[in-house]
Amino acid sequence: MENKPYRSLNEYYREIFGRKTAKISLDGGFTCPNRDGTRGTRGCLFCSSGGSGDFAENAALSITQQIERGKAQTAEKWKDPAYVAYFQAFTNTYAPVAELRRKYEEALACPGVEGISIATRADCLPEDVLDLLAELNGKTKLWVELGLQTADEESARRIRRGYPLSVFEQAVYALAERNIPVVVHVILGLPGETRETVLRTIDCVNRLPIEGIKLQLLHVLSDSDLAEIYKAGTYTPLTKEEYIALVGDCIAHLREDIVIHRLTGDGDKNTLLAPLWSLRKRDVLNTLHKYLKDNQIRQGIKYKSF
């Protein structure tokens, strides 16, 4: 058992699958309403040309081939892990249901794949897609990952998210009604946001029937519109010390039952402009764990029910 002051993903996976679990990042060849002209053409302010799937496998490969490549990489580290197929790049419910079904079922048919995680937007969950997800949820372990990023409406407009908070909340409840676990993505360090802004987002998440959260440091990637703001000197990324303290605040205020799927993020060293300290992920996590211990922080210690 882990001895961490928060509900970790590794421990959670062991409870479900009984062993080490690896997520294989996939590119299903989808696009996004923020890219195809439905909501916009330039994506969210921070989004790379890879649609947040910079570490996903090559979309030119079949889903089966991508999974086999992912398994080959993890085989060097772990013996006989469980696998979760993670549809990561762009918006993975943004296609006709027949196409979605084919790709999801192809992933689940691969040996060793015992679950599926689908990253998408809250405004891309029509009824027929919800019905498909509910069907899959009855056959396997399913998670739907929704990109909230922030609960602040002004900040959401600034990053070009493309939908109001009410749409996100409706999507969470629609999934919860079908007993589909929801993992929420929150970005720390967005332009114009303060500690108080972030904690209001955590309060919003606490009120909702969600199972997991990802806390993601904002990366400035060279192929994103955020890069231009950064180069112009009008955006300053968080320092390592600021980020550690902010993550500590989030953990302290987060509901105890929520699984923390991520505490930082990986930036592609070939496109990451800032903050460069984030490339040393092990150092960041070690520093965070020391900070939590030194300040006696544990998940939920400052949580207030509503």
Side-chain angles (χ1 to χ4, degrees):
M1 295 294 291
E2 292 185 325
N3 185 26
K4 293 180 178 176
Y6 55 86
R7 187 152 163 67
S8 75
L9 179 61
N10 185 54
E11 181 179 356
Y12 171 66
Y13 274 160
R14 287 189 180 276
E15 291 172 2
I16 295 172
F17 300 116
R19 63 192 190 280
K20 184 69 178 179
T21 302
K23 288 180 76 173
I24 299 176
S25 295
L26 306 174
D27 188 332
F30 303 109
T31 183
C32 170
N34 246 5
R35 295 275 184 179
D36 69 1
T38 302
R39 294 277 187 270
T41 58
R42 294 159 59 192
C44 292
L45 183 70
F46 52 81
C47 199
S48 70
S49 58
S52 297
D54 298 301
F55 296 99
E57 296 293 341
N58 190 338
L61 301 174
S62 71
I63 298 300
T64 300
Q65 290 171 324
Q66 291 185 49
I67 288 174
E68 288 306 311
R69 286 184 55 166
K71 288 168 67 175
Q73 293 173 6
T74 58
E76 300 174 1
K77 298 185 291 184
W78 304 313
K79 182 180 179 180
D80 191 34
Y83 291 102
V84 171
Y86 178 27
F87 284 85
Q88 181 182 28
F90 295 100
T91 304
N92 294 279
T93 59
Y94 193 51
V97 165
E99 179 182 351
L100 297 177
R101 179 186 293 277
R102 177 175 59 81
K103 292 182 177 180
Y104 298 162
E105 291 186 347
E106 181 180 353
L108 290 171
C110 292
V113 172
E114 300 186 26
I116 184 170
S117 194
I118 299 169
T120 189
R121 292 168 56 93
D123 57 352
C124 293
L125 289 168
E127 285 296 317
D128 57 348
V129 171
L130 288 169
D131 290 342
L132 172 60
L133 294 174
E135 179 186 331
L136 289 176
N137 193 44
K139 299 177 180 178
T140 188
K141 184 61 181 175
L142 169 72
W143 294 267
V144 171
E145 303 193 18
L146 294 179
L148 171 63
Q149 322 309 359
T150 178
D152 185 83
E153 297 285 26
E154 180 180 349
S155 184
R157 286 190 291 271
R158 192 180 299 125
I159 64 174
R160 305 198 300 259
R161 187 177 66 194
Y163 58 82
L165 179 61
S166 60
V167 169
F168 177 84
E169 293 173 333
Q170 290 165 11
V172 171
Y173 283 111
L175 291 163
E177 287 172 2
R178 293 164 173 81
N179 296 314
I180 298 172
V182 175
V183 179
V184 178
H185 292 204
V186 172
I187 293 181
L188 308 185
L190 290 172
E193 292 210 341
T194 63
R195 171 182 179 273
E196 289 68 31
T197 313
V198 172
L199 291 182
R200 285 196 293 272
T201 294
I202 296 299
D203 285 344
C204 172
V205 170
N206 281 334
R207 292 186 179 95
L208 295 171
I210 66 123
E211 185 180 274
I213 190 171
K214 285 185 175 180
L215 299 174
Q216 167 72 54
L217 168 67
L218 180 61
H219 291 132
V220 182
L221 303 175
S222 59
D223 53 349
S224 69
D225 284 356
L226 179 62
E228 299 307 312
I229 299 173
Y230 170 71
K231 291 175 183 177
T234 55
Y235 170 68
T236 301
L238 294 175
T239 66
K240 177 181 171 183
E241 292 72 23
E242 289 171 334
Y243 185 73
I244 294 296
L246 188 55
V247 172
D249 275 335
C250 291
I251 291 173
H253 287 83
L254 191 66
R255 217 174 63 216
E256 285 184 289
D257 64 288
I258 295 175
V259 179
I260 299 179
H261 287 235
R262 178 181 291 170
L263 286 168
T264 182
D266 297 299
D268 185 343
K269 64 182 180 180
N270 296 312
T271 59
L272 181 68
L273 297 180
L276 294 179
W277 57 260
S278 66
L279 290 171
R280 301 183 297 275
K281 186 174 180 179
R282 184 177 295 276
D283 173 66
V284 174
L285 291 174
N286 287 341
T287 303
L288 172 63
H289 290 138
K290 184 178 185 301
Y291 178 86
L292 297 176
K293 182 178 180 180
D294 290 348
N295 291 276
Q296 298 183 318
I297 294 172
R298 67 178 187 275
Q299 185 173 342
I301 193 172
K302 294 185 179 180
Y303 168 69
K304 295 180 181 179
S305 59
F306 300 92

